[in-house]
Amino acid sequence: MTQLTAEPGVEMPAIETQTSPSSQGATTPALTPALTLAGVSHRYGNLLALDGVELEVQPGEVVCLLGPSGCGKTTALRVAAGLEDLQTGSLKVDGRVVADGRKNLPPEHRGVGFVFQDYALFPHLSVLENVMFGLPERGGADRRRTALSALEKVGMDRLAAAYPHILSGGQQQRVALARALAPEPRVLLLDEPYSGLDARLRDRVRDEVLHLLKESGAATLMVTHDSEEAMFMADTIAVMREGKVVQRGTPTELYCQPVSPFVAAFFGEVNELDGQVQGGEVRTVLGDLPAGDQPEGAAVKVVVRPEAMGLHGEPFKQSCPLATVVQSRLLGRTSLVHLSIDMIDPASRENHHFHARMPGVYLPEEGRRVCIDLDLSQAFVFGEAEA
Ligand code: ATP
């Protein structure tokens, strides 16, 4: 583990305390975050790539930065690693300031390990030498032993003498991970670590990596643009848009309580409708939804996940919306049904083509009439400001 020293001007990690609501005034220790980004902004010339990012990663926690291309994910990681100089805000590792307006520790003195997209193994060094390279402070025998032990953990010790060019993508990825984990960093930064792997290998490797990360106890900040990958890996997901973290929470919170249509749509295809609040409800062609906090008369955007649209061959209640099947496709574990909703007002210019996703094999023929049973837990109403 990285030892923390009392250098002049360096904050030592503190055990913060917080009052537990159930303990009537008693204090319980709260962990010092392993990584803290506070008010971090970053410009490339005129382009604001990071805009006041606030983020904490707790010891042993896996946090995924999720967002579309260009939203600033890699920049956040590079700033945390020290590969980009911090411009605004502050960075702490284990409560110790590693960069702020006055100081900027170099990457090797921050107690962070990182694996970037290309793994960056040295082609002229063997697997073992690549891992030993990450341990410059250790003496000969200890350095070798530690490197071998790290390779053993990722199942690559038998290929210690091999050179990177004979390794598969998954094997290279594991060596890069062993090199990053060998010095036992408090914080591990991973940038799209599976992007070079084909789909089948990716599933296996990310499962292995997740278990390794959890065993290592390192706090991990990982970048991905793949929501399913983020949900697989993360304890906490931070969704980014245009340099800002727009929502942070567990995968379940983000999927089930998105704060905006942007976040909702980032976790998979959605149906979108415009609506207006009338009598505390939003009336849509898919059914009526509670308006929640939205005021009477407000124009709202309604987002409905395809899996929220349960389909029935027979009307299951009097007022169920009716639709006509346009197409059905089996996608594997689910079936996608394209629907055209019956128009109440034929002059309406609203979109009436929707997608429903049903579990298993459900392939009604074209032209078939079906009823829609809307699952309100996967249908969301947003005000104009949230869009
Ligand atoms: P991707 O998923 O495509 O990697 P990202 O979310 O990681 O994207 P960044 O790589 O952090 O995004 O880039 C954020 C913005 O900053 C983008 O508009 C990008 O073009 C710009 N940018 C990144 N690096 C530089 C640089 N070295 N010089 C100038 N602009 C840059």
Side-chain angles (χ1 to χ4, degrees):
M1 296 288 168
T2 304
Q3 291 298 311
L4 299 167
T5 53
E7 291 172 39
V10 168
E11 280 180 35
M12 289 301 289
I15 297 288
E16 292 159 8
T17 56
Q18 66 186 12
T19 305
S20 155
S22 59
S23 57
Q24 297 189 330
T27 55
T28 51
L31 290 174
T32 300
L35 177 69
T36 307
L37 280 74
V40 173
S41 296
H42 196 86
R43 283 185 181 279
Y44 297 107
N46 288 333
L47 180 91
L48 186 59
L50 293 179
D51 186 1
V53 170
E54 306 279 339
L55 198 67
E56 284 183 351
V57 188
Q58 302 299 333
E61 185 184 28
V62 178
V63 175
C64 279
L65 281 180
L66 175 69
S69 182
C71 71
K73 306 180 296 292
T74 297
T75 302
L77 225 58
R78 288 179 60 82
V79 169
L83 300 175
E84 294 283 345
D85 283 350
L86 182 79
Q87 297 171 351
T88 312
S90 70
L91 277 163
K92 290 182 189 174
V93 173
D94 253 346
R96 181 176 75 130
V97 176
V98 296
D100 62 8
R102 288 164 301 157
K103 71 189 296 189
N104 217 349
L105 289 187
E108 61 275 20
H109 292 152
R110 290 191 176 193
V112 301
F114 38 86
V115 178
F116 284 95
Q117 287 182 25
D118 55 4
Y119 315 141
L121 299 179
F122 298 112
H124 61 290
L125 297 182
S126 70
V127 162
L128 181 63
E129 287 163 345
N130 260 285
V131 179
M132 285 168 61
F133 184 87
L135 297 163
E137 281 151 26
R138 308 252 178 161
D142 183 32
R143 197 174 175 204
R144 191 183 165 81
R145 205 171 28 248
T146 308
L148 269 173
S149 150
L151 283 170
E152 209 177 299
K153 284 188 190 135
V154 298
M156 286 297 293
D157 47 321
R158 277 183 303 156
L159 287 168
Y163 282 82
H165 70 273
I166 69 148
L167 304 181
S168 70
Q171 289 170 330
Q172 288 186 36
Q173 203 268 355
R174 282 189 264 167
V175 176
L177 197 67
R179 186 173 63 184
L181 284 172
E184 298 187 342
R186 304 291 296 139
V187 176
L188 196 63
L189 306 170
L190 305 176
D191 188 6
E192 305 258 9
Y194 317 116
S195 60
L197 309 180
D198 69 53
R200 282 173 60 125
L201 190 57
R202 188 161 55 227
D203 286 354
R204 206 185 73 218
V205 172
R206 73 183 181 188
D207 184 50
E208 290 168 2
V209 170
L210 179 61
H211 295 298
L212 269 171
L213 292 177
K214 287 295 173 189
E215 270 167 38
S216 79
T220 305
L221 182 60
M222 184 184 124
V223 159
T224 179
H225 61 267
D226 177 341
S227 60
E228 199 191 307
E229 184 160 291
M231 292 181 89
F232 183 91
M233 294 292 296
D235 300 304
T236 301
I237 297 176
V239 177
M240 287 188 71
R241 183 183 194 185
E242 294 171 1
K244 288 190 169 76
V245 174
V246 292
Q247 189 173 2
R248 187 200 143 96
T250 63
T252 311
E253 282 164 353
L254 267 74
Y255 195 79
C256 298
Q257 296 155 40
V259 295
S260 65
F262 172 83
V263 174
F266 213 82
F267 286 84
E269 186 217 7
V270 291
N271 298 295
E272 292 193 28
L273 303 91
D274 292 321
Q276 198 172 27
V277 179
Q278 286 172 11
E281 293 201 311
V282 184
R283 298 189 198 293
T284 78
V285 288
L286 297 180
D288 298 343
L289 287 91
D293 298 340
Q294 301 303 324
E296 192 63 19
V300 293
K301 188 164 277 300
V302 176
V303 172
V304 177
R305 296 201 189 283
E307 65 268 31
M309 292 173 47
L311 304 182
H312 298 263
E314 302 295 328
F316 64 98
K317 60 181 182 188
Q318 252 185 352
S319 58
C320 74
L322 287 167
T324 305
V325 174
V326 178
Q327 245 178 31
S328 304
R329 290 274 189 277
L330 178 63
L331 302 182
R333 294 183 201 104
T334 59
S335 300
L336 188 69
V337 184
H338 299 247
L339 297 167
S340 170
I341 304 285
D342 294 3
M343 310 274 282
I344 300 159
D345 170 11
S348 163
R349 293 175 58 213
E350 258 193 88
N351 172 21
H352 289 99
H353 182 93
F354 295 96
H355 289 174
R357 199 181 272 266
M358 297 286 284
V361 182
Y362 181 85
L363 300 169
E365 68 276 14
E366 187 185 329
R368 169 108 181 262
R369 304 276 286 159
V370 288
C371 296
I372 298 170
D373 180 13
L374 196 60
D375 171 5
L376 294 179
S377 71
Q378 289 300 331
F380 312 103
V381 175
F382 298 107
E384 276 183 328
E386 294 151 333

